[in-house]
């Protein structure tokens, strides 16, 4: 394959970027869900009225 | 000002226009609960085909598509570079559309969507510039030239970065959203400049191989993997933006719940949930505890 | 008029103003945004000797002469044309991979007193055509296109050919049959 370093660098950049974007989005979504669930549970707990 | 006469004077109850129905549909999405439910249902339909088509297209382009007669295998950089370039412009068009909806209809979801499209679009634009550089060095003989196409795409990256920082520049997030929306709409003038730069001026960058009006000047054996990759990456882009937007809507609900609790002076429940109202910084943004 | 439609009109008016301002600005700087000048433009403009400019055009077939300086540096001489005028370019250095006769190039340098161009940098400009090597070979064999004399014919004329050309390259006997490699619908 000609120009292999340039091709590998391009595809590598894409893979890194795609992984970074999707992992960060997944983690952020998971954290937000967990916090929201915890807060909802705390608000619904007996003795605490919103 | 007096209300405009109804366009259908014969019908006693004028039907709402398509435009009014569209905007009322948009306003129903402003209900965060409804949005969260719909978006969660939509997410796998974007993520799964996005990942599969991108992988299929990239492997097709990298392994099975033929080498170009004069560029050799370096042409395979195209399967990353061209979809990234299309997405950079399409993402900005979406950003500008959200900004318009935000400025005119003050739709709360449009602000959040614009703020989430921005960083993803900036990343894709940076990828387009970087892969273009990696392609230009072996083919043209230069990493970078200041021709109209390259310069206008660099301006697009700066617009994305400017939007990103304006959203975060104010203590009151609404002022940040407003200022960023104005910038995004004004910057949309760059989109036709990017598109037509290769026709209006002499550039080192080639003219478009694929246009809406003419036949593509590319062998079908290279065109198909390119289109598959572009479709896959577009779905992937939408999936990432949707995921971030869902998180953003939840974070906003968290903030408002915590703020209302803090306003009521009851921090007990929040504390038991491992959260405190004072983990919010000046502009109501969540600070990692 | 509701506040919403007033805001819509306001945004529309701003967009119109900004759009026309940009159009006017781009039209005014049209000449300055150009990355390179074609030989006929360059000769018509008569730039001062020694002023750095970019010259763009196609390398004339048969015009490339390469030699080596005493220190081993390759020196290339070739003519660049836009179909109307041609300018001879002299360049000392290594030419890019894509450089060939019939290719578009952009040379950075200045016009000498004898109206030849002294380049300090030569970039290759590839066109918007993408085709596999076997298609290019088949086109050349069929005599429909010589890369030294300009861009290839439109893709519609050779896209159907790919299927016909591929078995021909696999089986050399068939390639010699008249018309077989160039099977064009």
């Amino acid at each position: 394959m000609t120009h292999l370093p340039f091709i590998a660098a391009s595809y590598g950049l894409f893979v890194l970027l795609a992984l970074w974007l999707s992992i960060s989005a997944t983690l952020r979504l998971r954290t937000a869900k967990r916090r929201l669930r915890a807060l909802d549970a705390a608000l619904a707990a007996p003795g605490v009225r919103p | 000002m007096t209300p405009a006469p109804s366009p259908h004077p014969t019908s006693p109850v004028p039907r709402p226009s398509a435009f009014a129905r569209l905007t009322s549909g948009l306003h129903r999405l402003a209900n965060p609960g409804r949005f969260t439910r719909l978006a969660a249902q939509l997410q796998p339909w974007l993520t799964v085909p996005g990942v599969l088509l991108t992988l299929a297209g990239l492997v097709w382009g990298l392994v099975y598509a033929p080498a170009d007669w004069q560029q050799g295998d370096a042409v395979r950089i195209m399967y990353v570079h061209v979809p990234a370039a299309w997405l950079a412009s399409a993402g900005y068009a979406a950003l500008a559309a959200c900004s318009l909806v935000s400025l005119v209809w003050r739709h709360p979801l449009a602000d959040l969507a614009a703020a989430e499209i921005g960083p993803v679009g900036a990343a894709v634009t940076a990828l387009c510039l970087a892969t273009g550089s990696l392609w230009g060095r072996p083919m043209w003989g230069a990493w970078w030239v200041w021709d109209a196409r390259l310069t206008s795409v660099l301006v697009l990256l700066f617009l994305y970065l400017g939007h990103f920082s304006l959203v975060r520049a104010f203590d009151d997030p609404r002022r940040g959203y407003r200022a960023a929306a104005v910038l995004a709409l004004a910057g949309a003038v760059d989109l036709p400049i990017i598109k037509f730069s290769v026709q209006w001026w002499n550039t080192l960058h080639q003219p478009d191989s694929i246009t809406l009006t003419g036949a593509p000047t590319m062998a079908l054996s290279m065109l198909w993997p390119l289109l598959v990759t572009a479709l896959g990456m577009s779905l992937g882009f939408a999936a990432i933006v949707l995921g971030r937007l869902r998180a953003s809507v939840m974070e906003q609900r968290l903030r408002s719940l915590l703020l209302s609790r803090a306003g009521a002076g009851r921090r007990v429940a929040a504390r038991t949930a491992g959260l405190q109202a004072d983990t919010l910084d000046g502009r109501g943004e969540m600070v990692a505890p | 008029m509701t506040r919403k439609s007033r805001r819509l009109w306001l945004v529309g008016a701003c967009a119109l103003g900004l759009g026309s301002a940009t159009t006017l600005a781009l039209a005014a700087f049209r000449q300055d945004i150009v990355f390179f000048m074609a030989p006929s433009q360059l000769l018509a403009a008569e730039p001062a000797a020694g002023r750095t400019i970019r010259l763009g055009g196609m390398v004339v077939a048969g015009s490339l002469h390469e030699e080596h300086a005493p220190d081993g540096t390759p020196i290339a001489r070739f003519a660049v044309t836009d179909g109307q005028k041609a300018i001879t370019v002299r360049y000392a250095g290594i030419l890019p991979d894509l450089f060939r006769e019939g290719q578009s190039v952009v040379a950075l340098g200045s016009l000498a007193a004898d109206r030849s161009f002294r380049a300090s940098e030569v970039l290759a400009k590839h066109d918007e055509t993408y085709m596999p090597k076997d298609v290019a070979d088949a086109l050349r064999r069929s005599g429909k296109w010589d890369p030294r004399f300009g861009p290839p014919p439109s893709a519609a004329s050779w896209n159907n050919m790919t299927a016909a050309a591929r078995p021909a390259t696999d089986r050399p006997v068939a390639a010699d049959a008249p018309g077989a490699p160039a099977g064009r619908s």
Side-chain angles (χ1 to χ4, degrees):
Chain A
M1 198 176 258
T2 60
H3 310 107
L4 187 61
F6 296 97
I7 302 171
S10 299
Y11 280 69
L13 272 180
F14 168 75
V15 170
L16 284 182
L17 199 72
L19 282 180
W20 176 58
L21 284 177
S22 44
I23 290 176
S24 66
T26 312
L27 288 182
R28 205 178 134 194
L29 193 58
R30 193 175 295 173
T31 312
K33 264 186 197 162
R34 187 166 44 78
R35 287 191 178 160
L36 203 56
R37 211 177 295 134
L39 190 64
D40 280 340
L43 289 178
V48 184
R49 279 190 297 168
Chain B
M1 196 179 257
T2 53
S6 161
H8 307 288
T10 48
S11 61
V13 181
R15 278 167 45 111
S17 66
F19 189 63
R21 268 179 284 143
L22 176 74
T23 53
S24 82
L26 276 176
H27 272 284
R28 271 190 288 157
L29 268 184
N31 175 345
R34 193 192 304 267
F35 169 79
T36 308
R37 265 197 316 281
L38 281 177
Q41 280 171 2
L42 182 62
Q43 184 78 65
W45 295 97
L46 293 175
T47 311
V48 175
V51 171
L52 291 181
L53 285 175
T54 305
L55 282 178
L58 284 184
V59 171
W60 190 351
L62 194 56
V63 182
Y64 298 103
D68 183 67
W69 74 282
Q70 59 172 345
Q71 298 196 27
D73 287 304
V75 76
R76 300 183 196 283
I77 296 175
M78 171 179 76
Y79 302 108
V80 180
H81 173 75
V82 172
W86 287 346
L87 274 177
S89 283
Y92 197 86
L95 180 67
C98 286
S99 303
L100 180 71
V101 173
S102 153
L103 281 182
V104 176
W105 290 278
R106 300 277 148 84
H107 195 288
L109 206 54
D111 286 327
L112 297 182
E116 297 309 328
I117 292 171
V120 188
V124 169
T125 311
L127 178 70
C128 166
L129 288 171
T131 53
S133 204
L134 286 166
W135 197 3
R137 176 60 235 181
M139 291 299 104
W140 297 340
W143 294 104
W144 180 265
V145 293
W146 291 102
D147 83 351
R149 172 56 76 86
L150 276 67
T151 309
S152 55
V153 175
L154 186 65
V155 168
L156 186 74
L157 178 64
F158 291 151
L159 284 170
Y160 271 124
L161 295 179
H163 183 268
F164 180 86
S165 18
L166 261 188
V167 165
R168 288 151 183 82
F170 294 89
D171 287 340
D172 176 5
R174 272 171 307 176
R175 288 186 61 199
Y177 288 137
R178 187 88 46 91
V182 171
L183 174 78
L185 272 183
V189 77
D190 194 30
L191 289 181
I193 297 180
I194 291 175
K195 168 81 179 104
F196 295 108
S197 54
V198 287
Q199 296 170 25
W200 289 342
W201 302 290
N202 288 334
T203 53
L204 187 62
H205 193 283
Q206 60 158 89
D208 295 335
S209 298
I210 300 162
T211 55
L212 290 177
T213 47
T217 58
M218 183 184 292
L220 292 177
S221 50
M222 301 172 172
L223 182 63
W224 279 116
L226 178 61
L227 293 180
V228 169
T229 317
L231 181 63
M233 284 196 196
S234 308
L235 290 172
F237 184 93
I240 287 171
V241 169
L242 188 71
R244 294 174 64 111
L245 182 56
R246 288 167 65 202
S248 171
V249 168
M250 288 181 195
E251 285 159 6
Q252 205 192 33
R253 200 168 112 75
L254 264 172
R255 275 199 297 273
S256 59
L257 278 176
L258 286 173
L259 282 175
S260 69
R261 290 204 57 75
R266 301 186 189 183
R267 294 160 181 244
V268 189
R271 225 168 263 144
T272 53
L275 296 160
Q276 290 187 354
D278 48 24
T279 55
L280 298 171
D281 68 7
R283 52 179 291 267
E285 184 70 80
M286 203 64 184
V287 177
Chain C
M1 198 184 257
T2 64
R3 283 165 65 193
K4 272 174 200 166
S5 58
R6 198 166 55 230
R7 287 199 294 259
L8 187 57
W9 279 108
L10 190 68
V11 169
C14 288
L16 197 69
L18 185 72
S20 23
T22 313
T23 312
L24 287 176
L26 289 180
F29 292 110
R30 202 179 170 88
Q31 289 309 311
D32 302 301
I33 301 171
V34 161
F35 185 64
F36 59 82
M37 292 167 89
S40 58
Q41 290 172 320
L42 191 57
L43 291 175
E46 301 253 347
R51 195 185 137 208
T52 305
I53 28 185
R54 287 196 189 85
L55 168 70
M58 202 182 85
V59 181
V60 177
S63 71
L64 176 65
H65 298 287
E66 285 178 290
E67 57 195 34
H68 284 272
D71 63 342
T73 321
I75 295 174
R77 259 176 238 277
F78 51 91
V80 164
T81 181
D82 60 347
Q84 300 167 41
K85 295 275 174 59
I87 293 183
T88 306
V89 178
R90 182 186 178 279
Y91 171 67
I94 298 161
L95 291 165
D97 289 1
L98 247 56
F99 186 94
R100 57 177 175 80
E101 292 180 352
Q103 181 72 282
S104 293
V105 295
V106 174
L108 176 75
S110 57
L111 204 59
D114 61 348
R115 294 199 147 193
S116 74
F117 195 83
R118 296 297 168 95
S120 59
E121 190 184 3
V122 172
L123 303 175
K125 173 176 155 69
H126 68 82
D127 64 10
E128 65 272 33
T129 313
Y130 289 83
M131 64 172 136
K133 195 175 182 312
D134 51 359
V135 174
D137 289 344
L139 273 175
R140 242 177 304 195
R141 273 202 308 272
S142 72
K144 288 195 173 60
W145 171 56
D146 187 335
R148 292 178 305 140
F149 294 103
S154 78
S157 67
W158 44 261
N159 248 329
N160 324 333
M161 207 167 89
T162 345
R166 210 164 266 144
T169 50
D170 292 344
R171 285 176 288 127
V173 184
D176 293 329
R184 187 175 168 188
S185 57

